[in-house]
Structure formats: C-alpha cells, structure tokens
Amino acid sequence: AAEKRRRRKRKTFPDPAKRVFINQEICEGCGDCTKKSNCVSVQPVDTEFGRKRKIDQSSCNKDFSCQDGFCPSFVSVLGGSVRKFGSVFKDAELAELFKTLPVPGTPVEKPVYNIVLTGIGGTGVLTVAAIAGMAAHLDNKGSSVMDMTGMAQKGGSVLSHIRIANSPDALHAPRLWSGSADLVLGCDLVVTASAQTLDMVSPDTRIVVNSDIVPTAQFQSNNAIQLNPDAQLDVLRGIVGQPHLANLPATSIATRLMGDSITTNMFMFGFAVQKGLVPLSVESIEEAIKLNGSQVKATLQVFNWGRMAAHDEAKLEEYLAKCGVEDTAEPVSLTLDALIERRVKHLTDYQNAGWAEQYLDFVKQVRKAETAAVPGGELKVTASVARYLSKLMSYKDEYEVARLYTNGDFIKRLKQQFEGDFKLEFNMAPPIIARPRKPGGEPQKIAIGGWMFNVLKVMARLKGLRGGALDVFGRTAERRMERRLIGEYRGLINSVLGQLTPATQSVVTRIADLPEMIRGYGAIKDGNVTQFEAEKQKLLAELSKGPAALAA
C-alpha cells in the first residue's frame, strides 16, 4: 500500500480520480470499516457525539476496502482534488518570506553528534534520515544512518539512528546505545515515548516532538485506545525537564500549510534545524532535498515552514490564518448544561420539540435524584444519562440518515476538504433493493449516483412518519429493537436510582454508560446489543452486592 502511494507521487502508477469521504454525523464509530480494511488511514476523531471515523486523505492508498464496512456514511468523491490550503501563497511571496530567516546556530561542538528520528512507517521517516545523511556528506562530514523498521511497513514504529561526525574516522558503530542520544526528533509522539526510544535518552538529551497523535496500527485492534498526548508528554518531561523539551502540533500545522500530512516529518526537521539542534548547514540540507528528486518544491517549502515555526511563531500564525481551516466542527461540550442544551436541539431537529421535551424531563428527574443521593458530588450519572438517552432516542433510521446528509453540514465538511469539479457516489444498502453477500449475511452495498441526494432531501422531510402507521421502515426488527431500547433504558435507570449512594455512584454510572456499546447498523448493531445485554447483567449483579461491599 505504501509503495503504491510512493509510485503514484512519482506518476509511475495509476491514480484513480476517486477518494473516499466519511460523513462523521452518520458514522457510529462501530469500527466495522477498520476491521474490514485494516487500514491506518481510517482514523478516529472524537466529536460531541462520541468517537467517529475519518479518512486521512494524505496517507490513503486508494484501496477502497473501507467502504465494505456496513455503514451508510461512506461516499465516493469522483474528480476534483484534495483542497490545498496553502496554495493561496505565491512562490515569489514565499521566497521573500523565507529570505528573512536567520542562519541557525549549531549544537555545542562534539566529536560525534547522535540523533534519534522517530515516526511511523509509510510517512517519510527514512527519507528525512537519508536527506540528513546526504547533507552531512555535502558538508564534508562523516555520517551513518541506520534505520530500524522491523516489520513496520505502513503504520508501525520506525526509528532512524543518525550519527554525524567531523570526520568519518570518528564513527565506529552506526547504532546508538543507552543514554547516547543528543537529540530526539520525534515525528510521532507515541513512538517517541516508547521504551525503545527512551532507552537512548538521558537528562541532557534535547527532545523536539510532534504533539499531534497519529493513530498507529494498534488502533486497528483497539477502538477504545486513549489518544490523549498529555501522558506521553509528561513521561518525556519527567526525563529531560521542560527546558529540554519542545512540542508543537506539527501534523495540524503542516497539513494546513501544505494540504498533506506526509510533509510533517520534514516540517519537524526544519524546526529542529532552526533551533540550532542539528549540526548541518541549511544550504547542504536544501541541496540534499534537490538531489532526492521527489516533490522538491513542496519539500523545500515545508522545511522552511518548519524553520519559520521555530523562528517567528507570530509570523507563522499570520500565514496559517490565511490558509483556512480543515474542520469547523463545534467544540465538545465542557459542562453538563452545555451537553444537555446541545442534545435538546439535536432531538428537536431529529423529530420535534415534544420529543426533546420528553428527553429533558427525564434528565431533570435523574439530576434531582442524584443531587439528593450524592450531595455536593459530581453529577456523573446525570451526565451519562444525558449523553446516552439522547443517543438511543436519535437512532439512525432512514429518515435520520437522509437528514444528516442534507442538513448542510455534510456539504460544508466536504467542501472544506475537496475542491474542483467533483461528483458524489453514495455507498449504501437500501432496504428491499440490496441483496446479501451470502445467504444469511449482511446486505451488499451498492454505489448510487449523485441523484440520490434529491431522494434524500425528500426522505428527510418525511421524518414525521417515524414510528407511525405509515412508517414502512419502522416495521423491521431493527427499528422495533431501537424503539424498545429507549423504554428499557429509562426503566433500567429508574430501577438503579433507588440504589444510588456515594458508594454506588461509580457502578451506577457504568450502567448509565452501557449504550456506548450499542453502535453500528444491521447485524453489527445486533451483535453489539447482545454484548450490551450481557454486560448489563454483570453490572446489575455487582450493584446488588450493596453499598457496603462496593465501598470496601
């Protein structure tokens, strides 16, 4: 997959005029697309309504197997191109801007300077290492580069050991040893904070790290993996101290400037060079980039953008403001009241004000009960009920999928990421039309042309039929189950509120969180509901032990 992508960049392999895009509002975050594609370009994105999926267009190998996931959130974008946010800048303008960059300093003179370059496979880590080695040669220095790729290929951890000496005679071994690194250039935070990297770090090591988390291959087998960077940064800070640690959201910045996250590693390299942490001249590095011969213009630009980030953060922000933004989604609610308010609006749009009022009345009831049972405590149960009752009450039937495609947000997100003349194909398994892949299996998805958008507009206006006598879609077993779960969840919460005390609050909250497990569509959802029921019985059994046992 990584090799296909490399060859496409060099125009030596067919490049289909097709991209895959996920409508995050329709995505349930069930992970079926990840399971069927095993592709690290299908990445998690945390939203107000839970963890969803997105496609990293920069690393996508156009295998399209992710579309096999049983979910109507996938669309094919035919024609057009990925939006290049930084294309608003003219070459002459950038040339003048980069001329203002001062000549960077160099590290304290040492016989041999040791650099550990970390990243993930398929993102250009080895290219940066090779350019550094060639630049050392052009500076008439000795160098060795040893790449530790293992079985990484695409998505696994990669380390390069780079040693630069005033004379080749000073180099006796290419591999670094415990505590020997002078600089760790961390293009990936997870790999940088791993044991194999930290073994080479000492309190005197300087670390420059990308604070944006890029999900590695581990995410494919663990959907719930935590992606918060703070813990990893704390580990690094604890070893070298804050003065020796520099972190910046390099992936976000490089993607906004260049329209391609693959440029992140060279951006990081430019940042470290300008900080005076690399014993190589700018002239030799730029010449090495030209000799490499791949994407020369873009690589030189992003290298100098990295230098600008190190030299003049205000100037960088000025240019970032001209680039536009990748995603204008609302931030996740930080307070309970904000969470409830947004879900009341969501349920009003989903059905009507009366439906939202039913939700709000029940949440108020839970809030009152928890306030009395846990005086002065955090309203954890209320927050969970507010989140997950809304989830159950806004199950994604045909009317809701249609609404989420036609309410304007989908087109807005699409145009944020793509430009030019493009058309859409919807990848769906419509009831009645779709046939199973095999007897008893899930329905086969089919590609439907852009005309489907007009059908979806009509469908969205028919949401008032939901649950009524004329709701032909509501008669299926899946829809009956979804309606049943709403009532059962309310009954479940009412039954455990009577047992709520400070000692039982934790387990009652876990019970209230159970609908988090109910994700996906069709058979995927059925399987998750089975797991939900089993976990519910376990937690109820735990709660039945009583407050004294739980407190102990």
Side-chain angles (χ1 to χ4, degrees):
E3 181 60 24
K4 286 180 180 179
R5 202 158 33 82
R6 292 188 186 102
R7 290 168 62 190
R8 285 189 180 117
K9 289 171 67 175
R10 290 171 170 79
K11 311 297 184 185
T12 60
F13 193 80
D15 188 4
K18 175 180 175 180
R19 293 271 181 179
V20 176
F21 183 79
I22 295 176
N23 186 338
Q24 291 175 16
E25 293 185 305
I26 294 175
C27 171
E28 285 271 285
C30 68
D32 190 47
C33 54
T34 297
K35 180 179 179 181
K36 287 176 177 171
S37 67
N38 196 36
C39 179
V40 294
S41 296
V42 182
Q43 296 185 350
V45 53
D46 291 319
T47 74
E48 171 73 15
F49 294 94
R51 179 170 286 181
K52 306 298 187 75
R53 298 292 184 275
K54 67 177 181 179
I55 303 295
D56 180 2
Q57 302 297 339
S58 300
S59 64
C60 177
N61 59 60
K62 298 191 175 183
D63 171 73
F64 306 130
S65 58
C66 57
Q67 292 179 312
D68 292 337
F70 190 68
C71 169
S73 66
F74 284 85
V75 295
S76 298
V77 181
L78 309 178
S81 61
V82 177
R83 185 174 294 279
K84 302 290 186 182
F85 295 100
S87 62
V88 297
F89 308 128
K90 305 299 182 184
D91 292 347
E93 178 186 4
L94 294 182
E96 289 300 315
L97 173 67
F98 296 146
K99 280 181 182 179
T100 65
L101 289 168
V103 176
T106 55
V108 175
E109 187 73 22
K110 298 183 68 173
V112 181
Y113 193 81
N114 297 325
I115 301 173
V116 179
L117 176 62
T118 73
I120 57 177
T123 63
V125 179
L126 306 189
T127 299
V128 174
I131 287 172
M134 176 56 72
H137 172 71
L138 296 173
D139 274 337
N140 295 314
K141 295 184 175 184
S143 69
S144 68
V145 176
M146 188 177 78
D147 301 318
M148 307 286 286
T149 60
M151 295 294 289
Q153 296 181 15
K154 182 186 178 190
S157 62
V158 173
L159 288 88
S160 285
H161 297 205
I162 306 170
R163 308 194 70 200
I164 301 171
N166 290 330
S167 168
D169 296 334
L171 297 170
H172 303 292
R175 181 169 184 158
L176 302 190
W177 56 95
S178 180
S180 64
D182 296 297
L183 169 68
V184 174
L185 183 55
C187 299
D188 179 77
L189 179 55
V190 176
V191 182
T192 303
S194 66
Q196 58 183 334
T197 303
L198 296 181
D199 179 60
M200 293 175 278
V201 173
S202 74
D204 294 326
T205 303
R206 299 293 297 271
I207 299 179
V208 177
V209 66
N210 176 13
S211 60
D212 281 333
I213 293 283
V214 177
T216 60
Q218 290 174 302
F219 175 70
Q220 310 311 310
S221 58
N222 182 7
N223 280 350
I225 191 170
Q226 293 300 310
L227 304 175
N228 190 326
D230 293 338
Q232 286 95 328
L233 289 173
D234 285 342
V235 170
L236 301 178
R237 196 175 290 113
I239 297 174
V240 302
Q242 185 59 49
H244 280 192
L245 174 66
N247 59 278
L248 69 161
T251 302
S252 302
I253 296 172
T255 303
R256 285 180 63 184
L257 290 168
M258 305 300 298
D260 193 336
S261 66
I262 296 296
T263 59
T264 300
N265 298 346
M266 188 55 67
F267 177 87
M268 291 290 297
F269 188 48
F271 184 92
V273 167
Q274 191 62 34
K275 285 292 186 183
L277 300 175
V278 180
L280 298 170
S281 68
V282 170
E283 294 77 9
S284 294
I285 294 171
E286 290 184 337
E287 183 60 27
I289 290 171
K290 294 174 185 176
L291 290 172
N292 181 57
S294 175
Q295 304 286 315
V296 172
K297 176 181 170 182
T299 306
L300 287 171
Q301 281 188 9
V302 77
F303 171 70
N304 283 303
W305 278 124
R307 293 178 61 203
M308 181 61 69
H311 169 64
D312 191 342
E313 188 175 345
K315 180 64 71 174
L316 178 72
E317 290 293 336
E318 177 186 326
Y319 275 81
L320 282 172
K322 300 177 184 179
C323 290
V325 293
E326 294 178 85
D327 192 349
T328 57
E330 292 182 82
V332 175
S333 297
L334 298 178
T335 67
L336 176 58
D337 288 335
L339 185 152
I340 295 171
E341 181 181 351
R342 288 176 71 172
R343 278 156 180 76
V344 167
K345 180 181 184 306
H346 171 68
L347 289 168
T348 302
D349 293 339
Y350 174 83
Q351 185 73 9
N352 52 42
W355 191 241
E357 191 65 28
Q358 290 182 40
Y359 161 83
L360 186 58
D361 287 345
F362 190 80
V363 172
K364 286 179 178 178
Q365 173 190 328
V366 174
R367 189 172 195 167
K368 181 179 179 181
E370 187 173 23
T371 301
V374 190
E378 186 179 352
L379 299 178
K380 297 179 181 178
V381 176
T382 306
S384 293
V385 171
R387 184 174 286 112
Y388 294 114
L389 179 58
S390 168
K391 172 183 169 70
L392 293 175
M393 291 180 69
S394 57
Y395 57 88
K396 296 185 177 71
D397 58 7
E398 288 76 6
Y399 308 110
E400 178 65 354
V401 168
R403 185 185 75 84
L404 294 176
Y405 264 123
T406 58
N407 65 359
D409 290 342
F410 164 68
I411 294 298
K412 181 179 177 182
R413 288 179 184 273
L414 196 68
K415 290 183 176 179
Q416 284 172 358
Q417 195 157 68
F418 297 96
E419 60 187 356
D421 184 17
F422 59 82
K423 297 179 181 180
L424 300 180
E425 272 187 356
F426 296 87
N427 297 276
M428 298 178 171
I432 304 173
I433 300 176
R435 294 289 180 264
R437 295 174 184 271
K438 57 184 179 180
E442 66 188 36
Q444 173 72 56
K445 292 170 70 175
I446 59 176
I448 307 174
W451 57 266
M452 184 66 182
F453 201 77
N454 292 325
V455 176
L456 293 173
K457 287 181 178 179
V458 175
M459 284 286 300
R461 290 196 289 269
L462 297 177
K463 67 178 184 179
L465 300 178
R466 180 184 288 121
L470 299 179
D471 181 9
V472 294
F473 302 110
R475 300 169 189 170
T476 65
E478 182 177 353
R479 298 291 167 258
R480 292 198 302 271
M481 173 194 70
E482 288 165 338
R483 292 194 296 270
R484 186 191 77 241
L485 286 171
I486 298 172
E488 288 182 355
Y489 180 71
R490 291 170 62 119
L492 173 66
I493 297 301
N494 279 327
S495 70
V496 299
L497 281 179
Q499 304 174 65
L500 180 59
T501 68
T504 63
Q505 186 184 36
S506 177
V507 68
V508 172
T509 302
R510 287 159 59 198
I511 291 172
D513 284 338
L514 281 171
E516 171 69 18
M517 301 175 65
I518 304 174
R519 298 176 176 223
Y521 295 82
I524 307 301
K525 191 168 196 172
D526 290 341
N528 287 332
V529 168
T530 300
Q531 294 181 32
F532 157 84
E533 295 290 352
E535 187 65 21
K536 179 174 71 173
Q537 295 308 316
K538 289 180 183 179
L539 291 176
L540 287 174
E542 184 177 343
L543 182 64
S544 68
K545 296 176 182 177
L550 292 172

